[in-house]
Amino acid sequence: MRTNYQINSGVRFRMLSKDQLQALFDGVLHVLEYTGLDVYHDEARDILQKAGAWVDDIRVRIPSYLVSRSLEMAPRSFTIFARDGNPRHDIHIGPGLAYFGPGPTPPNFIDIETLERRPFTRSDARIVAQVVDALPNIDFCESLGTISDVHVDLAASYEFAEMFPNTSKPIVAWSYGWDDSADIHKIAVAEAGGQEAFEKRPNYIHYCEPLSPLVSTFEALDKLIFAARHRVPLIFTPCSIAGGTAPVTAAGIITQAAAESWMGCVLAQTIRPGLPFFMGGVLSVMDMKAMIYSYGAPELSLMMAGITELAHYAGVPLWQTGGCTDSKTLDEQAAIEGSLSCFFSALTEGDLCHDVGYTESGITGSILQTAMMDEAIGYCRRITRGIEVNEDTLATEVIQRVGPNGHYLYDKHTRSHFKTEYWYPNLCDRRSFEEWQKKGSMPMRERVIARVRDIVATHQPSAVKPETEKVITQVLKAAEERVKDKR
Amino acid sequence: MSEIYQQLSTIIIAGEDEKAPGLVQKALDQGLAPLEILDNGLLVGMNEVSARFAQEEMFVPEVLLAAKAMHDGLEVLRPHLVAAGAKPIGKIVLGTVKGDIHDIGKNLVGMMCEGAGFEVINLGFDVDPEKFVEAVKKNRPDIVGMSAMLTTTMIAMGYTIKALQEAGLRDTVKVMIGGSPVDAEIAERIGADGYAYNSPTAVELAKRLVGAA
Ligand code: B12
């Protein structure tokens, strides 16, 4: 019999102590209660006031009990379902689970044929979805760009319309406002089989961005209200810049960003109790020489780890960030920055880690970077899975059996475990020099490009229902009609 | 006498904004000419800041504090400069265009231009074409600066230029634009006079546009 035997399944990582987390938590409540936020949405202010917030012109202050109650109402565990019922594409949010995916809206894209940087187009959204669908360690989809070759108001509608049929992994949908949010929702609901069916098995996530410092913009809240009314799982994430739009210290930026995000949580939970809610935001530093918002800085990982621990302490999942880089191209810098931020994000069990594939500090999306990071994430996941310790894995019997001077290659124990104990790379090369040479002496960069091109040429994602195809056509037609007189 | 010039340039470089107005006043009290205070004191400091920034010896927050010290010193000096018939090297009306709320880069450009001796009228963000037109009518600037960070709001820069044309004001100003999706080609396409990709080059551009560089 065993007594008081504790098992660590996977790697343990904790940065902040409970006391530090409580201090951060109290700091956020303090900001919400005494400083408050400017809320540029009449209806939102009304709803918040009725719920118990203090409204003074556009300034809204929220008493701490209301914040705590809203955080409690938001679930810690829930599922986002693959549109085609493929259980391997479901996303189960909950403690100890971490998922990865690309990010939204850079203006440019690295063309996978010419490898040149150019504006993002409609067909790129399709390619990204198809490649995401095929990559084993990429779990959700975002487009990595803003479509430039359609009417400017319809970039988000076309993006979703292109991506949805080309991956059954859940999409995190970005939009400008109410109308395009509704376009997206119609498509998703058609596939789910109606609003009620959608509410039971949501198949996409809705993304909104409030403004730092401490502003809830009309667009962000209008989109939030749309999501809450239609029970679409919601991400509410500011993009705060330490030293620019937020305090320069890590603890300060975490506190402010959490306040901005929790304002959204309170509003969302008031409208729709129990709405699945992901806390944000994206935290990093402004490089004080280059004046860019750095997506490759170690502080990004550190601040993101801090806010992830705070989110989990408060009982909500977090929108993590990693796999991104300040490099302009698929090179060693991109590999270092991307891999390390993926690893750190995986250690924090940040629930949805996005921006995998951001290059040039978020100005250019690259599905090549995403594909390279797919390999890094596989590597990370093997590490975070940890070491299993039991009678079988201790293998004292096997050691006895093989004994001094024997070897393990023929042993059944080896055969039964070598596939699950090891991680096998897709892109990292382990062959002999001669074989590597024989296959064309390809560096990593070329192998990544070849893999992406191969996926685009061969991978067949599962199709949407024929009804959904029709709805997509109708939605786009109606959307064109809506904007036809707008310049 | 040269000692106070030295002091003025030193506080600019050190970004000691709270000391700048007092020291400028002291120089005026000593009977020094306003233009000399500017040229031999404040601008010497600011030029040194630019040089150090270009050599990556100074960081942006330090440059901004220097610009703030320059700005606060100029507040005291400006009336005297005007009385003496001296003018700022140029006047800039600056704003982030309609539909766009990204304003960090634009503010940076504004402060750096002020530091370089321009008078900057900052209209804020989400500024519609009509508001630009009004501000041009009211302030008669040499330059209109527009910032856009979204591909969707870039076109608003073109509309603003059109609105300036329609109001008959286009020929009275130079137009410079910036922001991450903007490039030289777009500047040309929409009929702007120049584009810059960061704040130091924005200052150079502004100087070129008013013929001061
Ligand atoms: C911070 C940020 C925000 C903040 C803005 C806070 C603020 N007060 O400004 C918040 C969170 C609010 C935000 C919101 C959004 N954002 Co934003 N944001 C950024 C981010 C990360 C940094 C921008 C920044 O401040 N950079 C630092 C400054 C110093 O650099 P800069 O702005 O480029 O300015 C320099 C030069 O461009 C130049 N310059 C700038 N202006 C001018 C003007 C003149 C006259 C001249 C000569 C030069 C010049 O000099 C400056 C100084 O060196 C960028 C990504 C990035 N890495 O740039 C995205 C980014 C610009 N955002 C983006 C998007 C899509 C949005 C949203 C639409 C997202 C959403 N769905 O909600 C909203 C838009 C809201 C709106 N209506 O404007 C996209 C734009 C993509 C596109 N295709 O257009 C980007 C590129 C992110 C991405 N990768 O998707 N964002």
Side-chain angles (χ1 to χ4, degrees):
Chain A
M1 191 190 88
R2 260 197 194 125
T3 315
N4 294 331
Y5 186 79
Q6 190 184 341
I7 295 173
N8 280 355
S9 165
V11 176
R12 305 278 93 190
F13 169 83
R14 277 285 165 275
M15 186 171 71
L16 298 166
S17 72
K18 211 173 155 234
D19 290 339
Q20 288 175 302
L21 287 167
Q22 186 63 39
L24 284 171
F25 189 84
D26 291 341
V28 184
L29 296 185
H30 186 97
V31 170
L32 283 167
E33 180 154 339
Y34 298 106
T35 306
L37 279 86
D38 282 351
V39 174
Y40 288 87
H41 195 292
D42 298 343
E43 191 187 356
R45 284 198 306 274
D46 271 358
I47 296 170
L48 288 164
Q49 187 163 33
K50 285 200 189 99
W54 302 303
V55 177
D56 187 1
D57 192 19
I58 56 166
R59 182 66 61 90
V60 176
R61 295 180 179 78
I62 309 185
S64 58
Y65 81 91
L66 191 54
V67 180
S68 300
R69 200 174 68 191
S70 305
L71 288 168
E72 241 159 62
M73 287 199 294
R76 175 67 184 93
S77 300
F78 51 88
T79 299
I80 312 294
F81 294 88
R83 63 158 164 76
D84 63 351
N86 176 356
R88 283 185 301 120
H89 286 185
D90 289 347
I91 289 182
H92 301 287
I93 298 299
L97 299 166
Y99 296 88
F100 292 83
T105 62
N108 305 310
F109 191 66
I110 304 289
D111 189 296
I112 63 163
E113 292 305 329
T114 66
L115 305 179
E116 268 163 32
R117 169 190 189 265
R118 54 150 176 82
F120 185 90
T121 62
R122 208 175 146 178
S123 60
D124 297 328
R126 199 197 67 236
I127 288 173
V128 167
Q130 189 191 5
V131 174
V132 162
D133 197 69
L135 292 173
N137 295 300
I138 300 296
D139 310 300
F140 63 88
C141 188
E142 283 191 282
S143 77
L144 288 176
T146 310
I147 295 180
S148 60
D149 52 350
V150 299
H151 189 288
V152 291
D153 290 346
L154 301 185
S157 307
Y158 274 98
E159 174 183 313
F160 194 81
E162 287 293 342
M163 294 197 304
F164 196 66
N166 284 294
T167 179
S168 71
K169 290 182 180 173
I171 292 173
V172 173
W174 153 89
S175 60
Y176 288 112
W178 191 280
D179 289 344
D180 49 354
S181 299
D183 290 344
I184 289 165
H185 191 64
K186 270 182 208 138
I187 296 171
V189 162
E191 181 76 4
Q195 176 65 27
E196 210 183 305
F198 173 85
E199 292 191 9
K200 288 183 189 144
R201 293 173 71 88
N203 58 16
Y204 79 103
I205 303 169
H206 186 85
Y207 168 98
C208 316
E209 259 184 350
L211 181 62
S212 289
L214 302 176
V215 173
S216 302
T217 56
F218 177 84
E219 288 80 10
L221 294 186
D222 220 39
K223 285 166 56 181
L224 178 150
I225 293 170
F226 181 91
R229 297 241 157 96
H230 297 85
R231 204 173 191 279
V232 189
L234 174 72
I235 293 165
F236 202 71
T237 178
C239 173
S240 321
I241 309 181
T245 57
V248 69
T249 47
I253 190 174
I254 290 169
T255 304
Q256 184 187 295
E260 289 156 353
S261 185
W262 289 357
M263 163 65 81
C265 185
V266 173
L267 182 60
Q269 298 304 324
T270 305
I271 297 172
R272 181 61 79 118
L275 182 77
F277 178 87
F278 292 88
M279 172 178 165
V282 182
L283 315 182
S284 188
V285 296
M286 179 141 81
D287 182 285
M288 295 300 185
K289 277 181 181 158
M291 292 325 277
I292 52 104
Y293 180 71
S294 178
Y295 276 93
E299 293 82 9
L300 176 142
S301 290
L302 209 53
M303 291 166 175
M304 290 309 301
I307 199 165
T308 305
E309 293 191 353
L310 175 62
H312 293 168
Y313 184 70
V316 287
L318 190 103
W319 182 234
Q320 251 280 15
T321 306
C324 38
T325 177
D326 295 323
S327 173
K328 319 298 174 280
T329 178
L330 193 69
D331 64 356
E332 292 80 356
Q333 180 187 344
I336 292 174
E337 292 176 347
S339 303
L340 285 174
S341 56
C342 279
F343 185 52
F344 210 56
S345 175
L347 284 180
T348 67
E349 42 176 311
D351 301 73
L352 292 182
C353 175
H354 83 304
D355 288 350
V356 178
Y358 262 31
T359 67
E360 195 195 336
S361 318
I363 303 296
T364 300
S366 169
I367 192 67
L368 304 171
Q369 172 77 3
T370 315
M372 182 161 73
M373 289 303 107
D374 179 70
E375 185 80 342
I377 296 162
Y379 192 125
C380 299
R381 285 183 159 161
R382 176 60 194 100
I383 293 176
T384 54
R385 190 147 59 86
I387 291 175
E388 211 178 322
V389 182
N390 57 37
E391 223 169 285
D392 181 34
T393 62
L394 276 170
T396 49
E397 243 172 65
V398 189
I399 295 169
Q400 153 116 3
R401 188 161 67 226
V402 174
N405 246 329
H407 72 72
Y408 291 86
L409 206 51
Y410 291 151
D411 202 278
K412 288 218 166 65
H413 187 257
T414 303
R415 200 176 64 199
S416 65
H417 286 291
F418 81 97
K419 278 194 178 151
T420 48
E421 277 283 310
Y422 297 3
W423 168 73
Y424 290 90
N426 279 307
L427 290 168
C428 291
D429 184 88
R430 293 176 173 178
R431 289 169 303 180
S432 68
F433 182 84
E434 288 74 16
E435 267 182 69
W436 173 72
Q437 207 175 29
K438 223 166 36 194
K439 289 265 155 108
S441 311
M442 270 160 78
M444 180 71 170
R445 179 188 149 80
E446 284 174 27
R447 298 195 295 268
V448 170
I449 294 166
R451 178 146 197 242
V452 167
R453 287 179 182 164
D454 179 58
I455 290 173
V456 171
T458 60
H459 180 70
Q460 198 73 49
S462 83
V464 292
K465 297 173 184 160
E467 306 93 86
T468 310
E469 293 274 12
K470 273 189 216 135
V471 169
I472 292 175
T473 313
Q474 283 162 10
V475 162
L476 292 179
K477 203 168 151 227
E480 287 289 357
E481 195 61 26
R482 185 171 76 228
V483 300
K484 77 174 193 297
D485 297 326
K486 279 174 85 180
R487 42 181 197 183
Chain B
M1 205 191 291
S2 68
E3 203 180 301
I4 197 157
Y5 292 144
Q6 177 79 43
Q7 281 172 0
L8 276 167
S9 71
T10 306
I11 59 157
I12 295 293
I13 295 166
E16 294 181 297
D17 53 336
E18 66 287 349
K19 289 191 190 155
L23 200 60
V24 168
Q25 191 57 51
K26 193 168 149 201
L28 288 166
D29 292 346
Q30 287 181 9
L32 299 174
L35 199 60
E36 306 244 308
I37 296 173
L38 182 66
D39 287 346
N40 301 338
L42 298 175
L43 279 178
V44 171
M46 211 54 215
N47 288 338
E48 178 63 24
V49 169
S50 303
R52 289 193 194 177
F53 182 64
Q55 285 157 23
E56 304 206 342
E57 280 167 29
M58 273 177 93
F59 291 80
V60 173
E62 295 164 325
V63 175
L64 291 178
L65 273 176
K68 173 84 168 37
M70 177 84 186
H71 173 92
D72 292 0
L74 272 174
E75 291 282 287
V76 176
L77 197 58
R78 193 169 291 125
H80 300 272
L81 284 169
V82 172
K87 281 199 274 179
I89 66 171
K91 213 193 259 188
I92 305 176
V93 159
L94 186 66
T96 301
V97 295
K98 188 174 166 62
D100 205 318
I101 57 176
H102 295 87
D103 67 351
I104 299 169
K106 183 246 335 168
N107 287 346
L108 210 62
V109 168
M111 290 175 85
M112 299 278 270
C113 285
E114 266 194 343
F118 283 91
E119 185 184 342
V120 175
I121 296 129
N122 195 332
L123 303 180
F125 55 82
D126 193 12
V127 180
D128 52 36
E130 295 73 38
K131 213 166 145 207
F132 271 107
V133 169
E134 245 170 69
V136 170
K137 276 190 193 148
K138 183 164 151 232
N139 299 292
R140 295 285 159 193
D142 306 282
I143 299 175
V144 171
M146 287 185 277
S147 181
M149 288 295 285
L150 298 171
T151 39
T152 48
T153 55
M154 236 158 46
I155 37 170
M157 300 199 292
Y159 298 144
T160 307
I161 291 178
K162 226 181 252 154
L164 288 171
Q165 261 158 9
E166 281 160 15
L169 295 166
R170 178 64 186 91
D171 296 336
T172 69
V173 293
K174 299 279 185 200
V175 174
M176 67 174 188
I177 61 172
S180 66
V182 179
D183 57 27
E185 195 197 310
I186 286 162
E188 190 163 336
R189 187 153 21 110
I190 66 169
D193 299 301
Y195 140 83
Y197 65 90
N198 66 9
S199 43
T201 54
V203 171
E204 279 166 35
L205 170 65
K207 282 186 179 166
R208 220 174 331 115
L209 290 176
V210 297

